[in-house]
Amino acid sequence: MALSDATPLRILFATPEIAPWVKTGGLGDVSAALPAALAEAGLEVRVLVPAYPALLAAFPQRSLVARLDQPGGQLLPAAISHVELRPRLGLLLLECPACYERHGGPYQDRTGLDWADNAMRFGLLSKAAALLASRETPLDWRPDVLHCNDWQTALAPAYLRYRHAPGAATVTTIHNLAFQGLFPAASREALDLPPAAMALDGVEFYGRISFLKAGLQHSDRLTTVSPTYAREICEPEHGFGLDGLLSYRRDRRGGDLVGILNGIDTAEWSPATDRSIAAPYSARSLALKQLSRAALGERLGLDLDADAPVLGIISRITLQKGVDLLIEAAPTLVARGARLAVLGSGDAGMEAAWRDLAAAHRGRIAVRIGFDESLAHLIEAGADMFLMPSRFEPCGLNQMYSLAYGTPPVVRATGGLADTVVDCTPATLANGTANGFSFVPATTHALLATVERAIEAWRAPEAWRSLQRNGMARDWGWDAPARQYADLYRSCLPAAR
Ligand code: ADP
Protein backbone atom coordinates (compact mmCIF):
# COMPACT_ATOMS: atom_id res chain seq x y z
CA MET A 1 0.00 0.00 0.00
CA ALA A 2 2.34 2.70 -1.17
CA LEU A 3 1.16 6.18 -0.32
CA SER A 4 1.09 8.54 -3.23
CA ASP A 5 1.92 11.77 -1.31
CA ALA A 6 4.98 13.52 -2.72
CA THR A 7 6.40 14.19 0.76
CA PRO A 8 6.14 11.13 2.91
CA LEU A 9 4.92 11.47 6.47
CA ARG A 10 7.93 11.59 8.79
CA ILE A 11 7.80 9.61 12.02
CA LEU A 12 10.29 9.68 14.89
CA PHE A 13 9.77 6.38 16.72
CA ALA A 14 11.30 6.53 20.20
CA THR A 15 11.87 3.22 21.98
CA PRO A 16 14.03 1.73 24.75
CA GLU A 17 14.54 -1.60 22.93
CA ILE A 18 14.69 -2.99 19.42
CA ALA A 19 14.98 -6.59 18.24
CA PRO A 20 17.19 -8.39 17.52
CA TRP A 21 19.79 -6.32 19.36
CA VAL A 22 18.06 -5.38 22.62
CA LYS A 23 14.84 -7.08 23.56
CA THR A 24 13.20 -7.97 26.86
CA GLY A 25 9.72 -8.64 25.46
CA GLY A 26 7.12 -7.72 22.90
CA LEU A 27 8.12 -4.05 22.72
CA GLY A 28 11.48 -5.03 21.20
CA ASP A 29 9.70 -7.00 18.48
CA VAL A 30 7.23 -4.20 17.77
CA SER A 31 10.02 -1.61 17.56
CA ALA A 32 11.70 -3.62 14.82
CA ALA A 33 8.65 -4.66 12.84
CA LEU A 34 6.30 -1.67 12.96
CA PRO A 35 8.83 0.93 11.71
CA ALA A 36 9.82 -1.47 8.92
CA ALA A 37 6.17 -1.95 7.92
CA LEU A 38 5.60 1.81 8.01
CA ALA A 39 8.64 2.41 5.79
CA GLU A 40 7.39 -0.28 3.46
CA ALA A 41 4.08 1.58 3.33
CA GLY A 42 5.83 4.75 2.15
CA LEU A 43 6.34 6.64 5.43
CA GLU A 44 9.78 7.90 6.46
CA VAL A 45 10.74 6.53 9.87
CA ARG A 46 13.70 7.07 12.18
CA VAL A 47 13.94 4.94 15.30
CA LEU A 48 15.56 6.63 18.28
CA VAL A 49 17.07 4.09 20.69
CA PRO A 50 19.84 4.20 23.31
CA ALA A 51 23.23 3.11 21.94
CA TYR A 52 23.60 -0.06 24.01
CA PRO A 53 26.76 -2.14 23.44
CA ALA A 54 24.96 -4.58 21.12
CA LEU A 55 23.91 -1.73 18.83
CA LEU A 56 27.34 -0.09 18.86
CA ALA A 57 28.90 -3.42 17.92
CA ALA A 58 26.35 -3.98 15.15
CA PHE A 59 26.84 -0.58 13.54
CA PRO A 60 30.49 0.49 13.57
CA GLN A 61 29.84 2.47 10.36
CA ARG A 62 27.32 4.84 11.98
CA SER A 63 27.76 8.57 11.37
CA LEU A 64 27.57 11.25 14.01
CA VAL A 65 24.73 13.65 13.20
CA ALA A 66 24.21 15.75 16.34
CA ARG A 67 25.51 16.59 19.77
CA LEU A 68 23.26 17.28 22.73
CA ASP A 69 25.80 19.16 24.83
CA GLN A 70 23.35 20.58 27.35
CA PRO A 71 20.21 18.50 27.49
CA GLY A 72 19.14 20.34 30.68
CA GLY A 73 18.93 19.66 34.42
CA GLN A 74 21.48 17.02 35.35
CA LEU A 75 20.87 15.00 32.19
CA LEU A 76 24.22 13.94 30.76
CA PRO A 77 25.52 15.24 27.44
CA ALA A 78 24.99 12.83 24.57
CA ALA A 79 25.50 12.43 20.85
CA ILE A 80 23.27 11.08 18.13
CA SER A 81 24.50 8.90 15.32
CA HIS A 82 22.62 7.69 12.30
CA VAL A 83 22.47 4.41 10.43
CA GLU A 84 20.38 3.87 7.30
CA LEU A 85 18.77 0.43 7.59
CA ARG A 86 16.85 0.42 4.32
CA PRO A 87 15.03 2.95 2.16
CA ARG A 88 13.01 5.34 4.36
CA LEU A 89 14.12 3.57 7.57
CA GLY A 90 16.97 4.75 9.78
CA LEU A 91 18.25 4.27 13.30
CA LEU A 92 19.19 7.21 15.50
CA LEU A 93 21.46 5.92 18.24
CA LEU A 94 21.55 7.99 21.42
CA GLU A 95 25.16 7.74 22.54
CA CYS A 96 25.94 8.35 26.18
CA PRO A 97 28.47 5.78 27.40
CA ALA A 98 27.88 6.54 31.09
CA CYS A 99 24.16 5.81 30.67
CA TYR A 100 23.95 2.97 28.20
CA GLU A 101 27.28 1.15 27.80
CA ARG A 102 26.87 -1.34 30.61
CA HIS A 103 26.94 -5.07 31.11
CA GLY A 104 23.44 -6.19 31.95
CA GLY A 105 19.95 -5.58 30.64
CA PRO A 106 18.49 -2.33 29.39
CA TYR A 107 16.68 -1.72 32.68
CA GLN A 108 18.40 -3.96 35.20
CA ASP A 109 21.85 -5.13 36.15
CA ARG A 110 22.89 -8.77 35.99
CA THR A 111 21.43 -9.50 39.41
CA GLY A 112 18.01 -8.30 38.32
CA LEU A 113 18.11 -4.98 40.20
CA ASP A 114 16.87 -1.87 38.43
CA TRP A 115 19.72 0.44 37.46
CA ALA A 116 19.73 3.11 40.17
CA ASP A 117 19.84 5.94 37.63
CA ASN A 118 16.98 4.78 35.38
CA ALA A 119 15.19 8.11 35.83
CA MET A 120 18.17 9.91 34.33
CA ARG A 121 18.86 7.27 31.66
CA PHE A 122 15.32 7.36 30.31
CA GLY A 123 14.87 11.02 31.12
CA LEU A 124 17.71 11.53 28.65
CA LEU A 125 16.06 9.29 26.05
CA SER A 126 12.79 11.21 26.45
CA LYS A 127 14.63 14.53 26.32
CA ALA A 128 16.45 13.56 23.14
CA ALA A 129 13.15 12.50 21.55
CA ALA A 130 11.57 15.83 22.53
CA LEU A 131 14.50 17.84 21.17
CA LEU A 132 14.46 16.01 17.85
CA ALA A 133 10.69 16.57 17.60
CA SER A 134 10.89 20.24 18.53
CA ARG A 135 11.48 23.31 16.41
CA GLU A 136 14.96 23.50 17.99
CA THR A 137 16.04 20.16 16.57
CA PRO A 138 19.75 19.91 15.78
CA LEU A 139 18.97 17.64 12.80
CA ASP A 140 18.01 18.69 9.29
CA TRP A 141 15.20 16.14 9.49
CA ARG A 142 12.05 17.14 11.35
CA PRO A 143 9.33 14.60 12.11
CA ASP A 144 5.63 15.26 11.66
CA VAL A 145 4.84 12.85 14.48
CA LEU A 146 6.80 11.72 17.53
CA HIS A 147 5.69 8.21 18.49
CA CYS A 148 6.69 7.36 22.09
CA ASN A 149 6.61 3.84 23.46
CA ASP A 150 6.11 2.97 27.12
CA TRP A 151 7.31 4.90 30.15
CA GLN A 152 10.94 5.03 29.06
CA THR A 153 10.08 7.56 26.35
CA ALA A 154 6.83 8.98 27.74
CA LEU A 155 8.38 12.03 29.39
CA ALA A 156 9.02 13.45 25.90
CA PRO A 157 5.53 14.95 25.43
CA ALA A 158 5.93 16.65 28.83
CA TYR A 159 9.27 18.16 27.76
CA LEU A 160 7.57 19.44 24.61
CA ARG A 161 4.82 20.92 26.74
CA TYR A 162 7.05 22.55 29.38
CA ARG A 163 10.45 23.11 27.84
CA HIS A 164 10.60 23.10 24.04
CA ALA A 165 8.56 24.55 21.22
CA PRO A 166 6.68 21.54 19.89
CA GLY A 167 7.20 20.87 16.22
CA ALA A 168 5.63 17.44 15.93
CA ALA A 169 2.35 15.90 16.98
CA THR A 170 2.74 13.23 19.65
CA VAL A 171 1.45 9.69 20.05
CA THR A 172 2.21 7.52 23.08
CA THR A 173 1.69 3.78 22.97
CA ILE A 174 1.14 1.73 26.11
CA HIS A 175 2.66 -1.70 25.63
CA ASN A 176 2.15 -2.62 29.28
CA LEU A 177 0.49 -0.35 31.82
CA ALA A 178 2.03 -2.31 34.69
CA PHE A 179 5.35 -0.54 34.11
CA GLN A 180 5.01 3.19 34.69
CA GLY A 181 8.43 4.61 35.50
CA LEU A 182 7.77 5.99 39.00
CA PHE A 183 10.53 8.08 40.57
CA PRO A 184 10.90 10.35 43.61
CA ALA A 185 9.57 13.88 43.28
CA ALA A 186 13.06 15.03 44.26
CA SER A 187 14.31 14.02 40.77
CA ARG A 188 12.28 16.82 39.19
CA GLU A 189 15.03 19.41 38.84
CA ALA A 190 17.64 16.89 37.76
CA LEU A 191 15.20 15.79 35.05
CA ASP A 192 14.79 19.40 33.92
CA LEU A 193 11.09 19.60 34.74
CA PRO A 194 9.67 22.91 36.03
CA PRO A 195 7.83 23.10 39.38
CA ALA A 196 4.56 23.53 37.45
CA ALA A 197 4.97 20.00 36.08
CA MET A 198 4.39 18.53 39.56
CA ALA A 199 0.65 18.93 39.27
CA LEU A 200 -2.42 16.77 38.89
CA ASP A 201 -2.56 17.62 35.19
CA GLY A 202 1.21 17.20 34.88
CA VAL A 203 3.66 14.41 35.68
CA GLU A 204 2.76 14.00 39.37
CA PHE A 205 1.27 10.68 40.49
CA TYR A 206 0.58 10.19 44.20
CA GLY A 207 3.54 12.34 45.22
CA ARG A 208 5.97 10.87 42.72
CA ILE A 209 6.95 11.53 39.12
CA SER A 210 5.32 9.12 36.69
CA PHE A 211 6.95 9.03 33.27
CA LEU A 212 4.02 7.14 31.79
CA LYS A 213 1.44 9.51 33.19
CA ALA A 214 3.35 12.38 31.58
CA GLY A 215 2.81 10.75 28.21
CA LEU A 216 -0.83 9.93 28.89
CA GLN A 217 -1.45 13.50 29.97
CA HIS A 218 0.44 15.38 27.28
CA SER A 219 0.34 13.30 24.08
CA ASP A 220 -2.06 14.26 21.31
CA ARG A 221 -3.12 10.66 20.91
CA LEU A 222 -2.76 7.47 22.96
CA THR A 223 -2.77 3.94 21.72
CA THR A 224 -2.44 0.56 23.21
CA VAL A 225 -1.80 -2.75 21.57
CA SER A 226 -5.23 -4.34 21.36
CA PRO A 227 -8.84 -3.11 21.35
CA THR A 228 -9.82 -5.20 24.38
CA TYR A 229 -6.84 -3.95 26.44
CA ALA A 230 -7.82 -0.38 25.46
CA ARG A 231 -11.18 -1.00 27.13
CA GLU A 232 -9.74 -2.89 30.11
CA ILE A 233 -7.26 -0.20 31.14
CA CYS A 234 -10.12 2.28 31.49
CA GLU A 235 -11.46 0.15 34.36
CA PRO A 236 -10.05 0.06 37.91
CA GLU A 237 -9.19 -3.66 37.74
CA HIS A 238 -6.58 -3.17 35.01
CA GLY A 239 -6.01 0.59 35.20
CA PHE A 240 -3.17 0.67 37.78
CA GLY A 241 -4.60 3.93 39.13
CA LEU A 242 -4.57 5.56 35.70
CA ASP A 243 -8.03 4.38 34.62
CA GLY A 244 -9.59 7.78 35.38
CA LEU A 245 -7.17 9.63 33.12
CA LEU A 246 -7.39 6.93 30.46
CA SER A 247 -11.18 6.88 30.33
CA TYR A 248 -11.17 10.67 30.17
CA ARG A 249 -8.81 10.53 27.18
CA ARG A 250 -10.84 7.75 25.59
CA ASP A 251 -14.02 9.80 25.74
CA ARG A 252 -12.52 13.14 24.68
CA ARG A 253 -12.98 14.41 21.11
CA GLY A 254 -14.52 11.14 20.09
CA GLY A 255 -11.57 9.07 21.27
CA ASP A 256 -7.95 10.02 21.99
CA LEU A 257 -7.24 6.42 23.05
CA VAL A 258 -7.44 3.59 20.57
CA GLY A 259 -6.36 -0.05 20.53
CA ILE A 260 -4.42 -1.28 17.51
CA LEU A 261 -3.60 -4.97 17.57
CA ASN A 262 0.09 -5.73 17.06
CA GLY A 263 1.18 -7.81 14.12
CA ILE A 264 3.93 -10.40 14.05
CA ASP A 265 7.09 -10.26 12.01
CA THR A 266 6.25 -12.84 9.36
CA ALA A 267 9.80 -12.78 8.00
CA GLU A 268 10.92 -14.21 11.35
CA TRP A 269 7.84 -16.15 12.36
CA SER A 270 6.51 -18.22 9.49
CA PRO A 271 6.61 -22.04 9.50
CA ALA A 272 7.13 -22.01 5.73
CA THR A 273 10.51 -20.27 5.99
CA ASP A 274 11.65 -20.80 9.60
CA ARG A 275 15.25 -22.05 9.75
CA SER A 276 15.09 -22.94 13.45
CA ILE A 277 12.57 -25.74 12.95
CA ALA A 278 13.11 -29.27 11.67
CA ALA A 279 11.35 -28.80 8.32
CA PRO A 280 9.25 -26.04 6.80
CA TYR A 281 5.52 -26.64 6.59
CA SER A 282 2.30 -24.88 5.72
CA ALA A 283 -1.43 -25.37 6.21
CA ARG A 284 -1.32 -27.74 3.24
CA SER A 285 1.55 -29.83 4.60
CA LEU A 286 0.74 -30.06 8.29
CA ALA A 287 2.07 -33.62 8.47
CA LEU A 288 5.58 -32.12 8.28
CA LYS A 289 4.95 -30.41 11.62
CA GLN A 290 5.58 -33.82 13.18
CA LEU A 291 9.26 -33.51 12.30
CA SER A 292 9.58 -30.46 14.51
CA ARG A 293 7.65 -32.26 17.24
CA ALA A 294 10.20 -35.06 17.12
CA ALA A 295 13.11 -32.60 17.06
CA LEU A 296 11.67 -30.76 20.06
CA GLY A 297 11.29 -34.01 21.97
CA GLU A 298 14.88 -34.93 21.21
CA ARG A 299 16.30 -31.51 22.04
CA LEU A 300 14.52 -31.38 25.40
CA GLY A 301 14.72 -35.06 26.30
CA LEU A 302 10.96 -35.59 26.34
CA ASP A 303 9.55 -39.11 26.06
CA LEU A 304 7.26 -38.59 23.11
CA ASP A 305 4.21 -40.72 22.52
CA ALA A 306 1.72 -40.35 19.67
CA ASP A 307 -1.01 -40.38 22.32
CA ALA A 308 0.54 -37.75 24.58
CA PRO A 309 -0.02 -34.12 23.59
CA VAL A 310 2.98 -31.80 23.85
CA LEU A 311 2.05 -28.52 25.53
CA GLY A 312 4.34 -25.56 24.80
CA ILE A 313 4.99 -22.63 27.14
CA ILE A 314 7.24 -19.64 26.34
CA SER A 315 6.93 -16.82 28.79
CA ARG A 316 8.37 -14.31 31.13
CA ILE A 317 7.97 -16.15 34.42
CA THR A 318 5.65 -13.74 36.21
CA LEU A 319 2.23 -13.64 37.83
CA GLN A 320 1.06 -11.49 34.91
CA LYS A 321 1.49 -14.48 32.62
CA GLY A 322 -0.33 -16.82 35.04
CA VAL A 323 2.79 -18.94 35.40
CA ASP A 324 1.74 -19.82 38.97
CA LEU A 325 -1.41 -21.40 37.53
CA LEU A 326 0.68 -23.41 35.08
CA ILE A 327 2.99 -24.61 37.86
CA GLU A 328 0.02 -25.71 39.94
CA ALA A 329 -1.62 -27.44 36.97
CA ALA A 330 1.53 -29.17 35.71
CA PRO A 331 1.41 -32.39 37.83
CA THR A 332 -2.25 -32.97 36.89
CA LEU A 333 -1.52 -32.36 33.21
CA VAL A 334 1.31 -34.88 33.32
CA ALA A 335 -0.90 -37.37 35.15
CA ARG A 336 -3.35 -37.05 32.25
CA GLY A 337 -0.56 -38.02 29.84
CA ALA A 338 0.60 -34.60 28.60
CA ARG A 339 4.21 -33.53 28.03
CA LEU A 340 5.32 -30.00 28.86
CA ALA A 341 8.00 -28.00 27.01
CA VAL A 342 8.72 -24.87 29.04
CA LEU A 343 11.00 -21.94 28.16
CA GLY A 344 11.23 -18.76 30.17
CA SER A 345 12.89 -16.70 32.83
CA GLY A 346 11.84 -14.31 35.53
CA ASP A 347 10.71 -14.75 39.12
CA ALA A 348 13.34 -16.77 41.02
CA GLY A 349 10.83 -18.68 43.17
CA MET A 350 8.78 -19.80 40.18
CA GLU A 351 11.93 -20.65 38.20
CA ALA A 352 12.92 -22.97 41.08
CA ALA A 353 9.42 -24.50 41.10
CA TRP A 354 9.77 -25.32 37.39
CA ARG A 355 13.18 -26.88 37.97
CA ASP A 356 11.72 -29.04 40.75
CA LEU A 357 8.88 -30.12 38.48
CA ALA A 358 11.32 -31.06 35.72
CA ALA A 359 13.39 -33.10 38.19
CA ALA A 360 10.30 -34.87 39.53
CA HIS A 361 8.87 -35.63 36.06
CA ARG A 362 11.88 -36.40 33.90
CA GLY A 363 10.94 -37.07 30.28
CA ARG A 364 7.54 -35.51 30.84
CA ILE A 365 8.28 -31.97 31.89
CA ALA A 366 11.26 -30.27 30.24
CA VAL A 367 12.24 -26.81 31.45
CA ARG A 368 14.79 -24.40 30.04
CA ILE A 369 15.37 -21.32 32.13
CA GLY A 370 16.80 -18.48 30.05
CA PHE A 371 16.23 -16.69 26.79
CA ASP A 372 16.59 -18.90 23.73
CA GLU A 373 15.25 -17.58 20.43
CA SER A 374 15.81 -20.76 18.40
CA LEU A 375 14.20 -22.99 21.03
CA ALA A 376 11.23 -20.58 21.10
CA HIS A 377 10.75 -21.20 17.36
CA LEU A 378 11.04 -24.98 17.79
CA ILE A 379 8.48 -25.00 20.62
CA GLU A 380 6.01 -22.99 18.52
CA ALA A 381 6.39 -25.49 15.67
CA GLY A 382 6.83 -28.72 17.64
CA ALA A 383 4.20 -28.41 20.36
CA ASP A 384 0.67 -29.66 19.75
CA MET A 385 -0.83 -26.73 21.60
CA PHE A 386 0.41 -23.62 23.41
CA LEU A 387 -0.58 -22.44 26.90
CA MET A 388 -0.89 -18.76 27.84
CA PRO A 389 -3.18 -18.18 30.85
CA SER A 390 -2.24 -14.51 31.37
CA ARG A 391 -4.00 -12.53 34.12
CA PHE A 392 -3.74 -9.56 31.79
CA GLU A 393 -2.20 -9.34 28.35
CA PRO A 394 -1.90 -6.03 26.47
CA CYS A 395 -1.51 -7.89 23.17
CA GLY A 396 0.69 -10.95 23.43
CA LEU A 397 2.81 -12.20 20.57
CA ASN A 398 3.28 -15.83 21.44
CA GLN A 399 -0.36 -16.75 20.88
CA MET A 400 -0.15 -15.17 17.42
CA TYR A 401 3.03 -17.11 16.65
CA SER A 402 1.17 -20.24 17.78
CA LEU A 403 -1.79 -19.48 15.54
CA ALA A 404 0.54 -18.90 12.58
CA TYR A 405 2.32 -22.22 13.33
CA GLY A 406 -0.82 -24.36 13.55
CA THR A 407 -0.32 -24.83 17.30
CA PRO A 408 -3.71 -23.89 18.77
CA PRO A 409 -3.37 -21.71 21.87
CA VAL A 410 -5.17 -22.22 25.17
CA VAL A 411 -5.53 -18.75 26.70
CA ARG A 412 -7.32 -16.65 29.27
CA ALA A 413 -9.75 -14.37 27.44
CA THR A 414 -8.15 -11.03 28.27
CA GLY A 415 -6.63 -8.16 26.29
CA GLY A 416 -5.06 -9.18 23.00
CA LEU A 417 -5.66 -12.85 23.77
CA ALA A 418 -9.41 -12.17 23.62
CA ASP A 419 -8.92 -10.31 20.33
CA THR A 420 -6.99 -13.08 18.60
CA VAL A 421 -8.16 -16.44 19.96
CA VAL A 422 -11.63 -17.71 19.09
CA ASP A 423 -12.75 -20.43 21.49
CA CYS A 424 -13.54 -23.76 19.89
CA THR A 425 -17.25 -24.56 20.21
CA PRO A 426 -19.55 -26.45 17.88
CA ALA A 427 -20.74 -23.08 16.54
CA THR A 428 -17.28 -21.57 15.92
CA LEU A 429 -16.07 -24.83 14.40
CA ALA A 430 -19.05 -24.84 12.07
CA ASN A 431 -18.59 -21.23 10.96
CA GLY A 432 -14.84 -21.65 10.45
CA THR A 433 -13.65 -19.15 13.08
CA ALA A 434 -12.49 -21.47 15.89
CA ASN A 435 -8.70 -21.32 16.28
CA GLY A 436 -7.98 -22.19 19.93
CA PHE A 437 -9.43 -22.38 23.43
CA SER A 438 -10.17 -19.74 26.01
CA PHE A 439 -11.49 -19.37 29.54
CA VAL A 440 -12.24 -16.51 31.89
CA PRO A 441 -11.65 -17.24 35.61
CA ALA A 442 -7.96 -16.91 36.53
CA THR A 443 -7.93 -20.24 38.34
CA THR A 444 -6.05 -23.50 37.98
CA HIS A 445 -9.40 -25.26 37.85
CA ALA A 446 -10.54 -23.28 34.79
CA LEU A 447 -7.14 -23.72 33.13
CA LEU A 448 -7.20 -27.48 33.67
CA ALA A 449 -10.77 -27.82 32.43
CA THR A 450 -9.90 -25.90 29.27
CA VAL A 451 -6.71 -27.86 28.57
CA GLU A 452 -8.70 -31.05 29.01
CA ARG A 453 -11.23 -29.75 26.49
CA ALA A 454 -8.34 -28.98 24.13
CA ILE A 455 -6.81 -32.43 24.58
CA GLU A 456 -10.14 -34.02 23.78
CA ALA A 457 -10.37 -31.94 20.60
CA TRP A 458 -6.78 -32.89 19.72
CA ARG A 459 -7.80 -36.54 19.76
CA ALA A 460 -10.23 -35.84 16.87
CA PRO A 461 -7.74 -35.21 14.04
CA GLU A 462 -10.13 -33.86 11.45
CA ALA A 463 -11.64 -31.14 13.64
CA TRP A 464 -8.16 -30.38 14.97
CA ARG A 465 -6.87 -29.77 11.44
CA SER A 466 -9.65 -27.23 10.83
CA LEU A 467 -8.68 -25.50 14.04
CA GLN A 468 -5.04 -25.39 12.93
CA ARG A 469 -5.94 -24.20 9.44
CA ASN A 470 -8.27 -21.48 10.72
CA GLY A 471 -5.41 -20.01 12.75
CA MET A 472 -2.93 -20.29 9.88
CA ALA A 473 -5.31 -18.76 7.33
CA ARG A 474 -5.36 -15.30 8.85
CA ASP A 475 -2.65 -12.81 7.96
CA TRP A 476 -1.04 -11.98 11.33
CA GLY A 477 1.54 -9.65 9.74
CA TRP A 478 2.09 -5.93 10.17
CA ASP A 479 0.51 -4.57 6.95
CA ALA A 480 -2.94 -4.00 8.44
CA PRO A 481 -1.70 -2.55 11.78
CA ALA A 482 0.77 -0.29 9.92
CA ARG A 483 -2.13 1.08 7.87
CA GLN A 484 -4.02 1.82 11.08
CA TYR A 485 -1.02 3.63 12.59
CA ALA A 486 -0.54 5.65 9.38
CA ASP A 487 -4.19 6.75 9.55
CA LEU A 488 -3.79 7.62 13.21
CA TYR A 489 -0.65 9.72 12.52
CA ARG A 490 -2.50 11.61 9.80
CA SER A 491 -5.46 12.23 12.08
CA CYS A 492 -3.31 13.98 14.67
CA LEU A 493 -1.55 16.40 12.30
CA PRO A 494 -2.56 20.02 12.95
CA ALA A 495 -4.49 20.24 9.66
CA ALA A 496 -6.61 17.23 10.60
CA ARG A 497 -7.52 18.50 14.07
P1 ADP B 1 5.77 -9.88 26.79
O1 ADP B 1 6.19 -8.78 25.89
O2 ADP B 1 4.71 -9.48 27.78
O3 ADP B 1 6.89 -10.59 27.46
P2 ADP B 1 4.77 -11.17 24.38
O4 ADP B 1 4.06 -12.47 24.14
O5 ADP B 1 4.09 -9.95 23.86
O6 ADP B 1 5.06 -11.04 25.93
O7 ADP B 1 6.19 -11.22 23.71
C1 ADP B 1 7.19 -12.01 24.20
C2 ADP B 1 8.30 -12.09 23.19
O8 ADP B 1 9.46 -12.55 23.85
C3 ADP B 1 8.04 -13.08 22.12
O9 ADP B 1 8.77 -12.75 20.96
C4 ADP B 1 8.56 -14.38 22.76
O10 ADP B 1 8.84 -15.37 21.82
C5 ADP B 1 9.76 -13.89 23.43
N1 ADP B 1 10.19 -14.63 24.61
C6 ADP B 1 9.74 -14.52 25.88
N2 ADP B 1 10.47 -15.29 26.72
C7 ADP B 1 11.39 -15.90 25.95
C8 ADP B 1 12.45 -16.82 26.22
N3 ADP B 1 12.71 -17.26 27.45
N4 ADP B 1 13.23 -17.21 25.20
C9 ADP B 1 12.98 -16.78 23.95
N5 ADP B 1 12.01 -15.92 23.63
C10 ADP B 1 11.22 -15.48 24.61
Side-chain angles (χ1 to χ4, degrees):
M1 68 115 193
L3 300 170
S4 53
D5 300 355
T7 39
L9 204 58
R10 292 174 162 189
I11 311 300
L12 177 62
F13 190 94
T15 178
E17 49 186 273
I18 180 167
W21 304 286
V22 187
K23 161 176 151 175
T24 67
L27 172 57
D29 294 312
V30 173
S31 300
L34 173 58
L38 291 167
E40 184 72 24
L43 284 71
E44 205 175 284
V45 190
R46 304 227 167 143
V47 180
L48 176 70
V49 60
Y52 304 108
L55 282 159
L56 292 174
F59 300 108
Q61 79 286 18
R62 65 196 179 275
S63 45
L64 181 74
V65 288
R67 282 187 189 287
L68 308 181
D69 289 327
Q70 290 181 318
Q74 286 167 32
L75 298 169
L76 293 179
I80 292 179
S81 53
H82 176 244
V83 182
E84 196 68 27
L85 290 179
R86 59 163 102 164
R88 293 186 298 278
L89 179 62
L91 277 183
L92 293 172
L93 301 178
L94 179 61
E95 300 198 24
C96 177
C99 285
Y100 309 124
E101 290 180 42
R102 299 178 180 182
H103 299 294
Y107 319 125
Q108 296 173 332
D109 65 19
R110 281 173 169 170
T111 68
L113 278 181
D114 284 355
W115 296 111
D117 57 349
N118 272 349
M120 302 309 286
R121 298 172 71 232
F122 295 106
L124 180 61
L125 177 60
S126 297
K127 191 55 172 289
L131 279 166
L132 299 188
S134 77
R135 289 195 207 116
E136 307 142 49
T137 176
L139 300 185
D140 58 5
W141 183 89
R142 245 179 54 186
D144 300 297
V145 178
L146 166 62
H147 186 163
C148 301
N149 292 278
D150 274 353
W151 71 264
Q152 297 90 338
T153 55
L155 211 49
Y159 285 130
L160 285 171
R161 159 89 172 69
Y162 297 113
R163 286 292 190 227
H164 304 284
T170 48
V171 173
T172 292
T173 295
I174 303 161
H175 296 264
N176 190 339
L177 192 62
F179 304 111
Q180 299 185 3
L182 292 171
F183 299 100
S187 339
R188 181 189 59 74
E189 262 190 287
L191 283 168
D192 192 32
L193 288 167
M198 283 306 288
L200 196 66
D201 62 353
V203 307
E204 188 269 347
F205 187 65
Y206 294 99
R208 292 195 281 178
I209 294 172
S210 164
F211 276 41
L212 186 62
K213 187 194 157 189
L216 304 187
Q217 191 75 50
H218 295 302
S219 296
D220 295 309
R221 290 281 196 284
L222 306 176
T223 78
T224 188
V225 288
S226 69
T228 296
Y229 193 60
R231 284 193 297 277
E232 288 173 342
I233 57 178
C234 292
E235 303 294 332
E237 188 190 344
H238 292 294
F240 290 95
L242 289 165
D243 39 292
L245 173 55
L246 285 164
S247 51
Y248 168 74
R249 296 291 321 252
R250 175 197 59 192
D251 298 337
R252 217 169 60 136
R253 293 190 305 212
D256 281 353
L257 165 67
V258 296
I260 300 178
L261 194 70
N262 283 337
I264 63 172
D265 183 350
T266 47
E268 283 292 313
W269 291 95
S270 167
T273 52
D274 195 326
R275 285 160 192 263
S276 302
I277 66 178
Y281 63 91
S282 70
R284 282 191 303 279
S285 56
L286 274 169
L288 293 170
K289 193 174 184 301
Q290 294 303 315
L291 298 174
S292 288
R293 188 182 196 263
L296 178 64
E298 190 161 324
R299 180 147 164 200
L300 294 182
L302 283 170
D303 303 332
L304 292 187
D305 183 327
D307 240 19
V310 178
L311 317 183
I313 295 164
I314 306 165
S315 182
R316 284 188 290 116
I317 297 185
T318 62
L319 291 178
Q320 180 205 326
K321 300 286 180 182
V323 176
D324 53 321
L325 305 178
L326 291 166
I327 287 170
E328 209 174 292
T332 312
L333 292 172
V334 169
R336 307 267 153 88
R339 305 287 185 265
L340 264 65
V342 182
L343 169 64
S345 66
D347 177 87
M350 288 195 278
E351 284 183 358
W354 275 125
R355 285 200 186 94
D356 292 348
L357 281 165
H361 301 276
R362 245 174 244 296
R364 287 161 187 254
I365 299 182
V367 173
R368 294 291 179 273
I369 301 295
F371 203 88
D372 186 336
E373 195 80 35
S374 85
L375 180 57
H377 285 248
L378 190 58
I379 292 176
E380 291 291 5
D384 295 309
M385 57 190 83
F386 188 85
L387 309 188
M388 198 162 167
S390 306
R391 285 197 166 75
F392 67 93
E393 192 58 73
C395 176
L397 292 171
N398 278 304
Q399 87 281 10
M400 287 194 273
Y401 300 153
S402 307
L403 289 161
Y405 279 65
T407 306
V410 177
V411 306
R412 245 203 97 227
T414 182
L417 298 173
D419 291 332
T420 49
V421 177
V422 179
D423 189 42
C424 178
T425 65
T428 57
L429 258 185
N431 69 19
T433 56
N435 61 15
F437 301 84
S438 65
F439 60 98
V440 175
T443 62
T444 307
H445 179 75
L447 168 65
L448 278 171
T450 311
V451 177
E452 271 172 26
R453 195 154 59 84
I455 293 176
E456 211 169 293
W458 177 74
R459 298 199 193 283
E462 217 165 287
W464 191 257
R465 294 247 147 161
S466 339
L467 210 60
Q468 291 178 292
R469 292 203 174 108
N470 290 345
M472 297 174 91
R474 179 164 156 188
D475 178 2
W476 298 102
W478 272 101
D479 285 357
R483 259 194 299 271
Q484 289 177 275
Y485 277 104
D487 289 346
L488 174 86
Y489 297 148
R490 274 187 219 102
S491 78
C492 61
L493 295 180
R497 271 187 254 154

